[in-house]
Amino acid sequence: MPLQPGDKLGRYEILSAVGAGGQGEVYKARDTRLDRTVAIKVLPEHIAKREDLRARFEREARVVGSLKHPNICVLHDIGNQDGAGYMVMELLEGETLASRIEKGALPLDQALKFATQIADALDRAHRAGVTHRDVKPQNIMLTRDGVKVLDFGLAKSSAKPGPTEATLTAVLTTEGTVMGTPQYMAPEQFEGKEADARSDIWAFGAVLYEMVTGQKAFQGKSYSSLLGAILSADPAPMSVKPFTPAWLERLVKRCLQKDPDDR
């Protein structure tokens, strides 16, 4: 049941709802002990109700909380109340990269600036042994202080990261058009293999391609055609966007190699 203004999770008082999605409900809240405004994400049931996934999340959350990187959303606290797990993060003002891309391709200098910040954040996390597992424009916030990567260690926390029936239902519209996360999943994730840093590199390449061209790297009118493109096709050349440097095309192509060892 959604939380209402005035409800409490531990020392946090809910102020208003911010949004909801497959990775949980997000609320604006007040930390009554430190008197600061924060964001609280209530974990989805598939994580909160499974002891193994909850333990894994809590273990990774401790690492994420210690990363201290300017381009990673700060994780303040985690908790559990009445069976509801939650994470407390800094409250960010801005728009998601997904919202920005909807307005069109980014200017090259801006896309490269954002890409550098995203790469720095991922590199910091990977060096600490943390894989994001769901790098995509919806999980990247653009703020006045630069890029903030959200949801480290939360998205894709499952023993078998390949798409489940529930995932397919969530990403297919009634017309059968593929949307969302699968377009940023590396080939090995569709094979049920555990995502690692190389899977994040693939997703980073797909995000960079989309920032520069305004188009998704892999597209399909159905789940099957999208899967076929990811597993066996290459994206359209980025040179269709005027003045795209050759080195950038090579970099993206390297990120999007089908074999993880080639990235």
Side-chain angles (χ1 to χ4, degrees), residues 15 22 30 34 36 45 47-48 82 107 113 126 128 140 157 160 173 176 200 209 213 254 256 260:
L15 300 177
R30 184 174 71 90
L34 298 179
R36 65 180 173 186
E45 289 187 4
I47 292 179
D82 300 326
K113 175 185 175 182
H126 293 165
I140 299 167
S157 285
K160 292 185 178 180
T173 68
D200 282 353
Y209 180 98
T213 66
R254 176 79 177 269
L256 296 177

Side-chain angles (χ1 to χ4, degrees), residues 84-133:
Y86 60 90
M87 54 194 297
V88 183
M89 307 167 290
E90 65 175 318
L91 183 67
L92 299 174
E93 301 290 342
E95 67 174 343
T96 65
L97 180 57
S99 296
R100 171 60 186 84
I101 293 175
E102 286 179 359
K103 303 171 186 175
L106 280 64
L108 184 60
D109 59 343
Q110 189 177 67
L112 294 178
K113 175 185 175 182
F114 292 160
T116 300
Q117 294 176 357
I118 296 166
D120 282 346
L122 292 175
D123 178 66
R124 178 67 183 87
H126 293 165
R127 289 177 185 273
V130 177
T131 304
H132 190 287
R133 302 188 189 91

Side-chain angles (χ1 to χ4, degrees), residues 37-55:
T37 304
V38 296
I40 290 185
K41 174 167 282 191
V42 178
L43 300 182
E45 289 187 4
H46 80 274
I47 292 179
K49 289 187 175 181
R50 280 186 51 180
E51 185 175 348
D52 58 333
L53 297 185
R54 190 171 65 249

Side-chain angles (χ1 to χ4, degrees), residues 3 16 25 34 49 76 84 197 227 239-240 243 256:
L3 297 173
S16 62
E25 299 165 342
L34 298 179
K49 289 187 175 181
H76 294 308
L227 178 58
S239 56
V240 298
F243 310 115
L256 296 177

Side-chain angles (χ1 to χ4, degrees), residues 187 202 218 224-235 256 258:
W202 167 283
F218 300 96
S224 296
S225 60
L226 173 61
L227 178 58
I230 291 173
L231 294 180
S232 60
D234 293 323
L256 296 177
K258 309 301 184 186

Side-chain angles (χ1 to χ4, degrees), residues 181-198:
T181 301
Q183 287 165 320
Y184 308 95
M185 287 171 64
E188 63 270 17
Q189 291 178 273
F190 287 94
E191 297 170 353
K193 297 177 181 177
E194 183 71 17
D196 60 22
R198 297 169 299 177

